[in-house]
Every structure is written in C-alpha cells, then in structure tokens.
Amino acid sequence: MIHESTRRWSRVAGFAALAVFAPLALAGCGSGGGGADGKTVSMAHYFSDALGAKAFKSITTLCTQQTGRTIKNSPIQHEAFKDSILVQLAGGNPPDVYSYWAGAKTQYLVDQKRMAPLDDFWAKNDLDKSIPQSLSKASAEYNGQKYLLPFDYHYVGVFYNPKVMAKAGVTTMPKTWDELMAAAAKLKAAGITPFALGSKNQWPAQFWFDYLLLRTAGPDYRQKLMAGQAKYTDPQVKTAFSMWKELFDKGYFNKSPNGIDWPDAADMVSKGQAAMTLNGTWVTGYWDDNKVPAVQGYDMFPFPEVTPGVPQAALGPVDGWALSTAAPNKAAADDLLKCLSGPEAQRDMALAQGALAPNKNADLTSQNEVMHKAAKEVQTASTFVFNYDLATPPEMSEPGLNMIQKFVDDPSKLDGDLQEAQSAADGAFKKN
Amino acid sequence: MSTRRIGWATVFLAVPLIAYVAAVVGPGLYSFYYSLTDWNAVGGTATFIGLKHYRDMAGDEHFWLALKNTAIWTAVAVVVPTVVGLALALGLAQVQRMQRLIKSLFFLPLALSLVVVGQVWFWIFRPEDGLLNLVLGHVGLGSWQHSWLSDPSVAFWSVLVAWCWQQVALAMVVFLAGLTGVQQELVEACKVDGANARQRLWHVIIPALRPAFAVVVSLSMINALKSFDIVYVMTEGGPFRKTETLALLVYRTAFKTYDFGYASAVSVVLFLITLVTIGLFFAWTNREDHQNA
C-alpha cells in the first residue's frame, strides 16, 4: 500500500514538475561563442526577415573578404532575439558580436557588464570622422564610454498616401498641429480614415505619445520622464495624451487599432482606406517590397510643430553592434566590427532595410526621395531621441507600453491609466 | 525481487533517472532557490531576499489576474473538451459510411502545432477582414461583430475557444480508443434487458470509459495549467495583459522586465498549484477505483 501510494505521488509530482519546469529548463539551452580558434567569429542579430537576409547575404561575404575570418552568422527572429540573447548572456555562452537596440536596453546590459567598451576600437579606426557626433553621443556612449557601434537607424515620421490626400483636397502637407487637424477633418469629411494605427504589438502606438510629448513639453522634460525624474501624472503628460484623445474622440483613427499590426495599418494607407500612419522608415522597406512606388504611392512629412518655440526633435531607434565581454576571440571580433562600421556594410544594410546609415560616407544616393527626405529631417533636427521603449528602462517600458495600449482601447479612462503608469514607475525606478 | 534483478533494474533506470534529475528536478530546485533571491540572470549575482517575492505576489494584481485566468482555463479545460470530445466520439462510433474520412477530418486539429492553431484562429478573429466577422456580417448578425482579440471583454474567451478546438480533438481520439474497449456483449445484454440508450450510456458505456476520462481530464488540466504558446501567438497576453496566464506571467516577468527572481517565485507557485490539482484528481480517481473494485 505504501509502495502504491509512493508511486502514485511520485507520478503526480513528476507530471506537475514536467508541466512547469521543463520549459524553463529548455530555456537554458542556447548556443553562442565563435570559438577560440582565432579565425572564427560569431555574430548574432535580429535582422532575420527577408530584407535582413538580403542585407546579410552581401554583408557576410563582404566582411569575410575584408577580415579573412570565418563568420558564423546567426540571424534570430526579432522578438525571439530579445529572449535568446539574455539566455545566452546568462549562460555565459554569448556570441562574440551581437546586435542590440541603442538606449535604455543597451544601458541595462552595460550596467550588467555584458558589453565590452569600444573606446580603443573607436579611436583606432577613427570613427569620429565617419559617424556624426550627435548620433554617437546619443547611441554609442554609456557611463562616459563607448559601448555600441551604430549600424543603422530609422526616423519616425508621418507617412501618407499622396493620392488619397489630394482626393480629399489636402495638397500642402501640414506643418503645424492646427493644419494637421484641418487636414484630418477634410479627410474624415471625404469618408477616409485620417490615421491608421496597428498597435496589436503595443510599440507602434508609442510614437504618438512620444511626438506629442516632445512637441509640447520638449525633449528635456521627456528625458526627465524617461529617467523617472518626472511623473506620469504631471500636466505635461496629461496634455499630450489629451491631444491624442481628441483624435480618437473625433473618430480620426481606424476601428480597433489594438486588433491589427503595423503592416495592416501600412496596407490601409497604401490601399487608400486610410491617409496617414505615424511610423518609422522601415515602413518604406515594407512598401518597396510590396511594389508600392515611393513618392507616387507613399510619401512622408515630419510630425508637425505643436507648441511654437519647442525644439523640433527627431525620433527613432538606432540599431548597433556590441562586443561581448565574454568574447573568446576579441581580435577577430574587432576585425568584424571594423567591417560593420564601414561605408559598404552600412550602405548594404540601409539599402536593403529602408534604413539610414550612421556612417556618413555610406553611398545612399540610390535610395528613394522619401528616404532622402527622412535623412534630411534627422540632419536638421535640433536633437535625435529614442522612441519610448528604448528611452526608458525595460522595467518601465513594459508597463508603459501596456498603459498606452490601454489608452488606445478606451481613451476615456485616461486619468486612471496615468495613475497606474505612475505607480508602475514608482516601483520600476525604486529598483534602479 | 532478487538482488541481481534489482541491480539490473537500477542500471536500466539510471539513464532516465539522471535525465529526469538534470532536466526537471534540478531546474525545479534551482527555481525555488532563485525565487528567494533578486536574481536578474544577466548580471550574474543573486542576493538572498527571503520570501519577499512571495509577499509581493500577494499584492500584485497581475498575478491575481493571471491566476484567475489560469483557474478559469483549467475549469473550462476539464468540462468542454471532455463533454464535446465524448459526444463527438459517441457520434462517430455510430457512423457507418466514410468513417475513416470523417474521423480524419476531426483528427486534423491534433496534427497541428498550437502555434499554427493560434495563427489560424488569429486570422479568423481579425477585426476588419477576419472570417468570423465576415460570416456574421453576411448572415445579418453584424451587431455581433467584435474585435475578438483586442476587446478586453471577449479576448480571453476567444483564445480559449481556439485552444478548445484542438483539445476537443485530443479528447475525441482518447474516447474513440476507449470505446473500442467497451464490451459489446454487455451493451447488447442491457438492450435485451430493456435499458434505453440513455441508460446504456450512463450505466455501461461511461463507467467503462473511466480510464479514458482519467487520461482526458488529466491531460486537459496539465495543458491548461501550462497554457502559454497559443496565448503568446494570439494575443501575447494582451490587450493590456487581460489574457495573461501564469505561464505567460513567468515569461513576461523574466524576459521583458528581467526579474528572474520573481518569475521563479511565480513558477514555484504554478508548480504547487499543478501538484495539488493533479494530486487531488488522482486521489479522487483512485478512490473511485477502489469503491468500484
């Protein structure tokens, strides 16, 4: 009887343990390191889609030729990369070189000593001459040292369908908030949804909050909020959200933004169901891939001025490369980074991805006019800042994006959402 | 058992035992240890903080919502696949023509991974051009149209429907296998004695299917308690964490906010809930078996 009972309970415990811990155990599996043979260097990154594959086909060949090393190229799906790189770093088996998002996410890994400083590499290759200081200061420097090599970047702007805008009588693109509102009213009256938004994955909604806060309270205040030195219950934050709420109240957005993704919103614009979408330059890569012609099929204007006198910051993410502190083969990794910092690799990346290149010697003349316009906006902007989920620490960006998605679902509950975000911020910044 | 036989048994058991300890018991113990620390995995250090995570959990609304969702999921998992799977199996057992083809059609969901199932239902539930809303519109039920996966009042139930669709197929397969073991002589004898269809089902067929019920219910419960993949594919726990289960909470806490210590504590709680739930179920089936012996 005792045997039977023991067997039964061990079976029960086995079932339960398998159900719960087996996935966690498997999470510990990961491969990395290029090996210490002196010739092989491993590179992991999140440019795994068709556009990324196209870029890395030529970049891997180029860097193999330039370095004389064997490059172990490991593309990992964008969302899966966020998890797998942590598992690899935690397991002490990271790739020699890995891509990462500049901003708070990089700051976190720098603080955890998982990225090696690149100051010597930077000086040796004279990168100050090829990478603009404004970009390197914003994306490469952490705790007074350089840790991330900028590889490509994107600009967030208002992308629109010129034919649809013209059909509604909008021929001059809005430069101020009032002009944008007037254009939206015309579009609405013509039966066209003014703004398409696909926030199923949360982050595409953040750009509205980012720009409205930047254009009303300014980049300095926003930086304070991102660092936990200002509150989500401040009038500045409420003003930004209230202006956004007005757009929802007037029916300027598509139905159920949280039910669709950003490519769906891009499709709405290219098919003429909606006129504009606030998104990054990666949307041009998507449209180009779908044979939507630049300028005729889509165009772009910067997010308009809202409060006169507030500096016109440009917004977007920067992708970069980090050298792992545990890289077994630093010399080979340095060679690879040198290639990735060069104008050819950055040109190939920018052309394939619909991105902009930090290396100012990269020849992007073959890019379309919309991309040239985006590049010009970044050059003339007073400052370049990262979007919300890269500007604030991960402990805060997660509940923050959640709050923004909640607001999109029901803007009438704004006050409660802001209170909730502040209590999340209290917890997140207390930890740091 | 002779000493020699015990020796050989030990040798043969050693391999799976080592694998089990390495893959399940070890990580389980590690999880419990890390649940008492502030480990963030990436930094490498883990400071002992006692039961803080467990105290925090008591005041964490996301934990309680995930627990509630997991409990509802488990309750639905016990009832829906069991009842619908049994009904389908009993119906299919009566089919005489093209039985293999019809069975294959009902088996089909089982051949798909949950990720594929999630993606298929994601398309069905899309707000603007999803199959469900299109059908509702065509049959004059436009007012029933919803944004099925982004409306917080229905999103959880939508995911559950997709999950049940596959789980029903699993239950049906098990019940169909169980029905082949029901003695037809006994059923015929009841018929001769004047028992109607309902009485034959209730007093002969269902008791004979007891082992199949145990398998279906225990598998459904385990699958429900660890439900992760289909939720991740369809909603990622959204909109704003309304469809989050405990397994997804573990993932989000660990990999999105890097709080591996807290995630370990939630996984320990999930383990205990699973242990108690399945333990109670096995104790109940065991007692029933003894009573019927």
Side-chain angles (χ1 to χ4, degrees), chain A residues 8 14 83 108 112 114 398, chain B residues 20 42-43 251-252 258 286:
Chain A
R8 195 168 61 243
D83 312 336
Y108 181 80
Q112 303 300 326
R114 297 295 181 172
E398 189 62 17
Chain B
Y20 185 76
V42 185
Y251 165 77
R252 186 188 291 271
Y258 309 156
N286 195 47

Side-chain angles (χ1 to χ4, degrees), chain A residues 8 12-15 17 20 25 83 86 108 112 114 200-201 255-256 258 264 398 402 405-406 409 431, chain B residues 20 23-24 40-43 122 126 128 147 150 222 236 240-241 251-252 255 258-259 267 275 279 282 286:
Chain A
R8 195 168 61 243
V12 170
F15 262 124
V20 178
D83 312 336
L86 293 183
Y108 181 80
Q112 303 300 326
R114 297 295 181 172
K200 176 187 172 265
N201 287 322
K255 268 195 288 175
S256 312
N258 288 339
D264 302 312
E398 189 62 17
N402 206 45
Q405 194 187 39
K406 212 169 176 179
D409 180 70
K431 272 186 200 170
Chain B
Y20 185 76
V24 180
N40 72 1
V42 185
F122 173 75
R126 276 169 67 92
E128 306 283 345
S147 184
S150 63
I222 290 168
E236 270 195 70
F240 33 92
R241 308 181 71 170
Y251 165 77
R252 186 188 291 271
F255 291 104
Y258 309 156
D259 197 346
S267 76
L275 184 74
F282 275 125
N286 195 47

Side-chain angles (χ1 to χ4, degrees), chain B residues 175-194:
Chain B
F175 282 127
L176 272 174
L179 282 171
T180 59
V182 178
Q183 290 180 355
Q184 283 310 305
E185 298 85 354
L186 205 58
V187 179
E188 291 300 322
C190 287
K191 215 172 180 177
V192 172
D193 287 345

Side-chain angles (χ1 to χ4, degrees), chain B residues 82-96:
Chain B
T82 312
V83 173
V84 182
L86 178 64
L88 280 174
L90 289 169
L92 276 178
Q94 307 302 317
V95 173
Q96 301 298 323

